[in-house]
Amino acid sequence: MKEEFEKFYKEYYIMLSKFVFRQIGTRDSTDDIVQEVFCLAYEKWEEVSGHPMPAGWLMLVARYKVMEFWRMSQVRKTLPLEEVECESG
């Protein structure tokens, strides 16, 4: 399994990184999302390896991770000032 997954990773890493980067625009966040997607693919390797379109599986999961990223970004931006704790000193 490990060798198969390594081959899979090498085959799709660049494609997935480009896809996510076009939507996010920052390298750090892109790397985080790509890592999450491949970790999930590893956990569900039996499903992914038997999927008729493994690249499509990756892209779909990445799309949901990107939407989650933007949703969380909006939550962080809209936190009311009253809820922000500041250290006084």
Side-chain angles (χ1 to χ4, degrees), residues 14-31 33-34 66 70:
I14 292 172
M15 176 198 67
L16 190 62
S17 292
K18 287 179 179 181
F19 173 76
V20 173
F21 185 77
R22 280 192 302 267
Q23 297 178 53
I24 300 294
T26 64
R27 178 55 45 201
D28 289 340
S29 295
T30 295
D31 291 343
I33 290 172
V34 170
V66 167
W70 286 118

Side-chain angles (χ1 to χ4, degrees), residues 9-82:
Y9 178 86
K10 289 176 184 177
E11 184 175 348
Y12 293 113
Y13 176 81
I14 292 172
M15 176 198 67
L16 190 62
S17 292
K18 287 179 179 181
F19 173 76
V20 173
F21 185 77
R22 280 192 302 267
Q23 297 178 53
I24 300 294
T26 64
R27 178 55 45 201
D28 289 340
S29 295
T30 295
D31 291 343
D32 291 344
I33 290 172
V34 170
Q35 179 179 356
E36 287 179 35
V37 172
F38 276 111
C39 284
L40 186 60
Y42 188 79
E43 290 172 13
K44 297 184 177 269
W45 181 242
E46 284 187 35
E47 177 185 336
V48 175
S49 63
H51 197 280
M53 293 181 57
W57 189 97
L58 284 175
M59 300 298 266
L60 184 63
V61 172
R63 183 171 165 241
Y64 285 120
K65 293 289 183 183
V66 167
M67 289 190 309
E68 182 179 295
F69 169 83
W70 286 118
R71 189 171 41 252
M72 293 306 295
S73 294
Q74 292 303 314
V75 168
R76 280 186 233 126
K77 287 180 185 177
T78 60
L79 186 65
L81 187 57
E82 296 81 32

